[in-house]
Amino acid sequence: MSTKTETPVKKKNQKKIQCFWSWVIGSVILRLIIIYFPKNLNLSSRPEVSTPLTSIRRLAEGYWLKQSSMSPYAGSMYHGSPLLLTLLGPLTVKRIEGQPDHLLCSLVFVIADVVTAMLICAAGKKLQAAYSSSLQSIGLHHLSEDSDILPSGDFAALLYLWNPFTIVACVGLSTSAIENLMVVVTLYGACARLAPLAAFGWVMATHLSLYPAILIIPVILLFGYGPDAPPRKLFRQRTNLEVDDSASGDRSCLEDELVNEKRMLNVFSWRPVVLFLFWALLWSSYVLVLCGIYVQQHSGLQEMFKSTYGFILTIQDLSPNIGVFWYFFAEVFDFFRSFFLIVFHGNILLMILPLALRLNHRPCFLAFVYIVLSSMLKSYPSVGDSALYLGLLGLFAYELKDMQFSFFLFSGYVGVSLLSPVMHNLWIWRGTGNANFYFATAIGYACLQIILVVESVSAMLNHDRMITKLTTAKLQNVKS
Amino acid sequence: MPGSANSMLSTQHVSHANKFINDLTHSDIESHKTVAQYMSALDAEVTYHKFYPQLNQFHPLHFFTSSDSGIISKNISCSSLGINVAGIIRAPRGDGKEAIVLVTPYNPKKVGPGEALSLGIAYSVFSLLSRVTWLAKDVIWLVADSQYGEYSAVSAWLREYQAPVFHEAEIVNSETCNDSIAISELGQNPYSDRNSYGGFRRAGTMAAALVIKVDEQGNHHEDSLNIYPEASNGQMPNLDLINIVNYLGVHKTGFRIKVKKMFSLLGSRWLNTLGGIFESLGQIARSLNPQWKFGISATEYVEGAATLASSMYSQGLGVPTGSHGAFRDYQVDAITLKISPKDSPTKMIRRNDFILRGGRLIEGVIRSINNLLEKFHQSFFLYLLSSSSKYVSVGVYMIPFALLVAPLPIVAASLHADASKSTLQSTYSSEVEVSHKSWKWLNSARKVLVIHLWGAVVSLLPYFLYQIPNSTPTTNFTVWGILSAFSLIILYFILGSPIFEAAPSQPEKGEWASLKSVTISTAFIGLSLMSVINFATAEIGALLIVPICLMARPLKLDAQARSWRALLRATCNLALGFIAFPPVAYFLVKGAFEDFNGTNVGDYWNWVESLWTWNSATYLYVGIVHLPCWALCIHILFHPC
C-alpha cells in the first residue's frame, strides 16, 4: 500500500541493492520506534489486529494456564497451537525493567517479518529468472528484457515490509507474522524445489491457521510443472516448429534452449511431488507427536483439535472483526447454523478446482489467489492476512502492470482502513453508532478484496492472451 | 409523560435552601465543610474527592487512545489540591445499579451569588429527594471545586468514578498534605460523623447528568434558561434529555428556554430578506391551497438560522461548551442548564420564588429520568438544534453534505481515466518504454502522501513550540509558520531529489490531471471520515475545500487560453485559493461575524491552542486533511505544465 516502496527502476544493479537494504533497515527502525510507544497506540487490543487466534494476550493467558498445570485450552481463551506456546510463551512473561512489555515478543515478530520479506525476495528472484528464460525459449526476447527491468522480488519484499498493515500487525503483536512466515516458507521452498522446506512450511502453516491447507494444490503444481510460465501449449507449438526447422537451423545455438524447453515441456514430474508428500507426512507426524507430548496431561490431542480447528470451523467467537462472518452468525437462527457453516466454508472449497484448472501453468499466482480468497473468507481475518497477499501481489508486478482499477483499489483500501476504526469507535466507545456502521466497512473491505482478486486474475489472463498473440504472430512470420 | 406528576417541592424546602445559601456565603468555616454538613444532615452519604488539577495539554498521540492516562505533573504542592464534595442518596426503591448526577460547580475561595443560588437550587431538590418514596435511581450531587476550571474538576471526579487508577490514590491521600487533618476535624463534627466516608463512594451507572448554573448578571427581560448540550468533538446528548427540559421549562415552570445563537446573524440584512422571501412564498402557497403549511415567518426563519449556525459552529469547534462535556466521554448524557434570572442574584427580591421555580424544573427532569426503564433510545444523538424545540436530524443534514462531496469521486474518476488514456497513447507511440499505464498514478500518489506527511508534521509542531517558555501568541504563530514553510522546502528537496524520481524528471502533459485526481480522492476520503467523526467540521470544511478542489487548474493553461471563461476561472481559483488558507479563512469568518478591529495573528494561535488542548478532531482535520489539500491545489494552480 505504501507508495514509498517504489524502487528505482532504471538503476545499476549495485545501487539498487544498496537502496534495497537501506529501505529494509528503515522499515526495521520504524517498527522499533513504534514498539516504544505501545501504551499510546494500544494496537494489540484492536479488533483489526488481534483476532481470537492471533492475539498475544490470549497466548499469554494460555501460557499462564499451562504453567499452573492446567490445560492451555481451558476457559476458551487460547485457540492457537501448543508449539507457539512453547516458542512465545516464555517471552510473554519475561519483562525487562524500563522497557515496554512484550519487548522480546515484538522483536521476534520483527525478525519474522524481515525473514518473510527476504524469502519473498529470494522467491521473486527465482520466479523472475525462470519466467524470463521461459519467455526466451518461446522466442519473446524483448518481453523477457522488459520483465528483467522491474526487480519484482525486491519490490515485493519492500511492499511487504512497508505495508502499513504489516507494520500494524507486527507492532500489534499479532502472531499472524509467524503464520505469514510459514506460508512464505512454503512458497519459497516450492520455488527453490526444496521438498523438505516446502513440506515443513506447509505443515506448520496448516497447523497454525488451517486455511493454508489448500496451498497443497499450488505447491504440488510447482513441484510438478516448475514455476510460473506462459501457457504450455505455446511451448508445444514452438517445439513443433523447431522440430520442423531443426534440419535447416543451426543446431549449436539452439542446443541449450532445447534442453530448457524439455524441462518446460515435461508433463507432470512425479518424483518431487512424491518427495514433498513424503516429507509432509513426516513433518506432520512429527508436529503431532510434539503437540501430543505437550498436551498429553490434559485430555490429549482431541481437545487440541477441538479448540483450534474446531474453533475455526464452528465460529464460536462472534466478537466483531473485519470479516463478514461474525455479524451473520450472530443473526442466524440456531437451527440453520450448521447449514450456513457448511455453505460459508464451502465457498472457499468451491473455487479451488476451477482456479486450479485455469491457472495451472502459474502455480505461484494460483497460490496468491488462494491466499486472497482464504483471507477474505476465513472466520477470523485480520490485517496481517491482507499484508501477506498484498506483499505477494508485488511478485507479479510485471504481469499485472496493466491491471485495471488499481487507483480505485488503492483509495478504497486507504479509505476503508481509516473508516473502520472510526466506525468501531462510534459503535463501542461513543455509543452513537451501532453494529451496522462497523459491519458496513467490513462489507466494503470484502468487496475491495473481491475486486482485487477478480481484476488481478483477469489481468493475468490478459497477459497470457497477449503472449499467445505475440507468439502466434511470430510463428506466422517464421512460417511465411 | 414528563411533568404529569405534581411537583412536590414546597416552600419549606426552599426556606431550608435559603438558610443553606446564607450559611455558605456568610460563615467563616471552609465552604466545602458547610456543604458536607448540610448533605449529611439529609442522610446522604458524603465523600470528599481530592484531585490535582489536570492541565490541559497537547498530547499528539492521545487522540486515538482511551482517556485513561492521568498525567499529573510532579511538582504540584498541596495548596493546589481541589476538593469535590459528593453526596449520594440511595434510592429506597432501586437496586443501586443506576444513578442520576446533579453537578453544581462553585469556587470555594470566593462563592459568588450566582453560584450560591445554583447550590441553593440543587440543595432544595436534594433535600426533597432524600425524603421521597418514588426514587428508583440513586441521586449523586456533586459540588465541584471550580477554582481550577469546572471541567477539570468534573472530569477528575468522573475519572475516579469510572476508571480509578490505584497508585495515584496513594499520592493524593499521602500524609504530607494536611488534608487528612481536615477529614479528622470533620469526623469530630457532631453533624457528620454518621455519614462521612473516607474512601470514594459510588452509585450505579449514570443514566444522565445535569449541570446547574445561575448567571451572575441579571438584566434580562424575564427568567430564562440556556441549554448547552455540545460535548467534545461535536457529540450531543440524547435529544430526549433536551426535549424533557424544554417541555418542562415551557409548560410547567414558565422559563424561557434558549439555545445559543449567533447574534450577529440576527441583524444581517440578506438573511432577513431571504426570510421575507420564504414567508411570502409560504403565503402564496397557502393562498393556493390552505393545506400547504410550509411557510414560516421571517423572524422565525432568521432566529432558526442563527441558532443553527451557532449549533454548527460549537459542534464543529469540537470544544465542549461546559463541564457536561466530561460526561459524554463515558457515554453519559449530560447538559448544562444555565438559569439567567430577571434581576441580578445579589439584589434579588423574590429569591424564594426563583429557587422554587428552578427547583421544580430540576425535580421534574430528575423524576422523568428516574422513571425511565432503560436508557434513552439510542438513535437521537446526531442532530443540529435550530431552536430549543426544533432540530435537524441526521437524515436531513446528510443530504446536502452528500450532494456537496458527491462530485469529488466523479471528477477524480474522470480525470484519472483521461490521464491514463493520454499516457496510453504516448506509450504506444514509443514502444521502448515499459508501459505502466495503470500505475501512472503512483507518482502523484507519492507526492500527495508526502504533502500529507508534511501536514502531519505541521500539526505536531505546536507540541514542541509549546515547550518554549514566555512566548507570546504572535511570536509562536510566526515561528510556527516559518517552521512549516521550512519543512515544506525540505520535503520538496527530498521529493525532487533523483532518489525519488522514478520517472523521467520532466513534467508530463497530463501530470497535473493525475495529481488533481489523487488530491480530490484524498479530500473525499478525509471529508467522509470527518463527517462520521464530527459532522459540523466536515460540512464547514467541505464548503471551503470542495470548490477549490473542483476548480483547480494550472493558471498557465488558463492564461494561454485567453478567453473570458478561462480568465474568470483563473480569478476564481486565485480567490478561492486565498480564502481556503486556514488562517485567512479564520480571519474572514471572524471578521464576518464580529469585526476586524483588534484582531491580530496571535488570535489564530489562541484559537488553534484551544482546539488542541481539548483534543478536538477539528485540529487534526485542519492539519492533516485541509491544509495538505489546499497546498496541493495551490501546487496545481502554479503547475508548470
Side-chain angles (χ1 to χ4, degrees), chain A residues 26-260:
Chain A
S27 76
V28 172
I29 290 171
L30 180 70
R31 280 171 168 76
L32 292 179
I33 290 171
I34 303 177
I35 282 168
Y36 270 84
F37 296 102
K39 284 226 175 90
N40 286 328
L41 289 169
N42 212 2
L43 280 172
S44 56
S45 57
R46 301 286 323 163
E48 294 87 4
V49 177
S50 63
T51 65
L53 296 176
T54 61
S55 159
I56 193 87
R57 289 171 162 194
R58 287 175 182 256
L59 193 142
E61 178 81 9
Y63 182 70
W64 187 84
L65 287 172
K66 175 71 188 163
Q67 287 306 95
S68 42
S69 60
M70 275 185 270
S71 164
Y73 299 110
S76 184
M77 194 66 186
Y78 183 60
H79 299 284
S81 145
L83 299 181
L84 273 184
L85 277 186
T86 49
L87 176 74
L88 292 172
L91 300 180
T92 55
V93 288
K94 200 161 271 177
R95 300 261 193 286
I96 303 170
E97 198 59 41
Q99 306 289 330
D101 303 349
H102 299 314
L103 178 69
L104 293 171
C105 277
S106 19
L107 288 180
V108 169
F109 293 133
V110 172
I111 293 167
D113 265 5
V114 174
V115 173
T116 311
M118 292 302 106
L119 287 177
I120 289 178
C121 177
K125 275 178 186 144
K126 289 216 184 312
L127 277 180
Q128 199 175 13
Y131 194 65
S132 78
S133 78
S134 60
L135 277 180
Q136 256 168 7
S137 68
I138 53 170
L140 298 172
H141 297 278
H142 70 281
L143 273 188
S144 94
E145 277 161 22
D146 275 0
S147 74
D148 275 342
I149 287 170
L150 194 71
S152 53
D154 294 1
F155 180 69
L158 289 182
L159 194 62
Y160 183 77
L161 277 179
W162 278 95
N163 188 338
F165 286 169
T166 325
I167 296 175
V168 162
C170 170
V171 176
L173 298 167
S174 147
T175 55
S176 56
I178 295 185
E179 290 165 16
N180 290 351
L181 174 65
M182 288 306 150
V183 172
V184 172
V185 162
T186 316
L187 290 182
Y188 171 74
C191 285
R193 310 188 74 76
L194 299 168
L197 188 66
F200 172 73
W202 180 73
V203 167
M204 281 308 292
T206 309
H207 173 62
L208 288 178
S209 61
L210 182 65
Y211 288 95
I214 54 172
L215 288 183
I216 193 164
I217 295 169
V219 169
I220 286 178
L221 289 174
L222 263 172
F223 276 114
Y225 288 125
D228 294 22
R232 237 165 268 123
K233 64 176 182 195
L234 298 180
F235 296 104
R236 239 166 276 147
Q237 289 171 353
R238 176 87 180 162
T239 26
N240 290 343
L241 191 76
E242 260 153 28
V243 167
D244 294 346
D245 291 354
S246 54
S248 55
D250 51 337
R251 286 190 72 99
S252 53
C253 76
L254 283 174
E255 197 84 32
D256 195 33
E257 258 177 48
L258 274 175
V259 174
N260 205 0

Side-chain angles (χ1 to χ4, degrees), chain B residues 43 69 334 337 343 399 467 542 562:
Chain B
D43 289 340
S69 50
L337 304 175
D343 317 306
I399 297 170
Q467 318 286 345
R562 286 187 186 284

Side-chain angles (χ1 to χ4, degrees), chain A residues 298-312:
Chain A
H298 333 277
S299 66
L301 281 177
Q302 201 193 350
E303 195 200 356
M304 186 196 88
F305 280 126
K306 213 170 157 186
S307 54
T308 53
Y309 293 167
F311 182 76
I312 294 172

Side-chain angles (χ1 to χ4, degrees), chain A residues 133 151 158 208 276 281 318 355 451:
Chain A
S133 78
L158 289 182
L208 288 178
F276 166 76
L281 204 65
L318 296 179
L355 282 168
I451 296 171

Side-chain angles (χ1 to χ4, degrees), chain A residues 40 403 406 428-430, chain B residues 65 328 331 435 438-439 441:
Chain A
N40 286 328
M403 197 170 120
S406 55
I428 300 291
W429 296 112
R430 285 201 194 179
Chain B
T65 53
R328 187 61 232 175
Q331 291 196 32
S435 72
S438 90
W439 297 95
W441 55 269

Side-chain angles (χ1 to χ4, degrees), chain B residues 347-366:
Chain B
K347 47 192 173 190
M348 192 183 283
I349 311 154
R350 295 163 58 220
R351 190 159 79 176
N352 282 0
D353 184 43
F354 181 75
I355 293 177
L356 192 67
R357 282 170 71 194
R360 282 195 169 152
L361 175 69
I362 306 295
E363 183 208 342
V365 175
I366 287 184

Side-chain angles (χ1 to χ4, degrees), chain A residues 10 16 24 37 44 54 70 105 122 127 162 212 242 253 269 280 308-309 325 343 347 385 400 404 448 451 456-457:
Chain A
K10 291 171 183 173
K16 201 156 64 192
V24 170
F37 296 102
S44 56
T54 61
M70 275 185 270
C105 277
L127 277 180
W162 278 95
E242 260 153 28
C253 76
S269 54
T308 53
Y309 293 167
F325 280 21
V343 169
N347 256 334
D385 303 312
L400 298 183
Q404 279 186 315
L448 282 176
I451 296 171
S456 59
V457 169

